[in-house]
Amino acid sequence: DIQMTQSPSSASASVGDRVTVTCRASQGISNWLAWYQQKPGRAPRLLIFDASTLGGGVPSRFSGSGSGTEFTLTIRSLQPEDSATYYCQQTKSFPLTFGQGTRLEIK
Amino acid sequence: EMQLVESGGGLIQPGGSLRLSCAASEFTFSWHDMHWVRQASGKDLEWVSAIGTMGDKYYSGSVRGRFTISREDDKASLYLQMNNVRPEDTAVYYCARGRGDIRPGPLDDFDLWGPGTLVTVSS
């Protein structure tokens, strides 16, 4: 199984800040990586697919990059509504696997 | 509006059986791979099972041999038959639509999710 490891596990930032979340795969996954946002009591929402393609309706302050084993999700100009947990997911092979999540708090 | 709605969750004793359903609407269900993803309270997301448009099925190691995924395209419905359930199967179960890409089979990220249904396994 491909293990996905996110860092940090939690972060706190202010409105207007730039935040970066890292996801590392235990083996190369090309660009087969997605990022999700999940708010408490809600289903996840697809933010980024194929490592860097923005999902439908996702604000342009979100961006993704990386290939192989290391990936980043960047949120520019943080907004209050960005408070959530963020997960990465590999779609290279079965079983599909997620990272352990990064909880982002807005100060 | 496109949506997925799960049903069938509840309290069940260890060793028992339960069938989850997911009703899809406002999109062509038969064109999409479909998945079940679960999340225990306060825990991470865990992919459970997938079924492709051709009926090919995939399972996580933790449920293989106990859970069975199926679909009825004429009813735009997805199912998960859960047998011999264990306390560690307790979670919110989400139905999710595979976004699809150029690769064959349900190696997907998920662009549409249901609100989830809670399954609690306890005596």
Side-chain angles (χ1 to χ4, degrees):
Chain A
D1 298 4
I2 298 175
Q3 308 303 316
M4 306 301 293
T5 304
Q6 288 182 231
S7 61
S9 56
S10 63
S12 180
S14 300
V15 172
D17 284 353
R18 171 180 163 143
V19 172
T20 298
V21 180
T22 298
C23 179
R24 289 186 173 86
S26 60
Q27 60 186 265
I29 60 171
S30 185
N31 68 333
W32 301 117
L33 185 102
W35 289 97
Y36 298 87
Q37 176 192 66
Q38 186 180 33
K39 297 185 178 180
R42 303 287 297 274
R45 171 196 183 191
L46 180 64
L47 294 177
I48 304 279
F49 61 89
D50 295 349
S52 61
T53 304
L54 210 60
V58 176
S60 60
R61 64 180 181 274
F62 291 91
S63 63
S65 65
S67 183
T69 62
E70 187 154 338
F71 303 85
T72 59
L73 170 70
T74 299
I75 311 173
R76 292 182 294 105
S77 187
L78 201 63
Q79 298 300 303
E81 60 267 30
D82 298 335
S83 176
T85 300
Y86 293 85
Y87 293 93
C88 62
Q89 178 218 355
Q90 65 82 17
T91 65
K92 173 68 165 54
S93 65
F94 289 109
L96 304 177
T97 47
F98 292 88
Q100 80 279 18
T102 295
R103 180 173 292 185
L104 177 60
E105 173 194 90
I106 310 300
K107 292 177 185 174
Chain B
E1 179 187 355
M2 297 182 296
Q3 66 175 350
L4 298 168
V5 179
E6 303 90 344
S7 60
L11 175 63
I12 184 166
Q13 292 188 338
S17 296
L18 198 64
R19 189 195 198 204
L20 305 184
S21 300
C22 171
S25 58
E26 301 300 324
F27 68 92
T28 305
F29 181 79
S30 61
W31 289 1
H32 290 270
D33 305 323
M34 295 298 297
H35 299 254
W36 291 98
V37 177
R38 69 185 181 185
Q39 186 172 37
S41 180
K43 301 296 185 182
D44 307 330
L45 298 166
E46 180 188 10
W47 174 80
V48 173
S49 183
I51 185 166
T53 58
M54 303 300 290
D56 44 322
K57 303 176 183 181
Y58 303 82
Y59 299 94
S60 69
S62 60
V63 308
R64 187 177 295 114
R66 300 186 299 121
F67 291 10
T68 301
I69 192 171
S70 61
R71 64 190 296 162
E72 287 189 276
D73 288 349
D74 56 347
K75 295 183 178 179
S77 293
L78 176 73
Y79 307 100
L80 186 68
Q81 178 67 42
M82 306 168 62
N83 295 333
N84 191 22
V85 296
R86 304 166 179 167
E88 55 264 36
D89 295 321
T90 295
V92 173
Y93 284 73
Y94 295 104
C95 166
R97 185 179 76 175
R99 183 182 54 82
D101 56 40
I102 60 173
R103 298 173 295 171
L107 285 167
D108 295 319
D109 42 58
F110 315 123
D111 64 353
L112 182 67
W113 296 66
T117 187
L118 176 62
V119 172
T120 303
V121 182
S122 175
S123 54

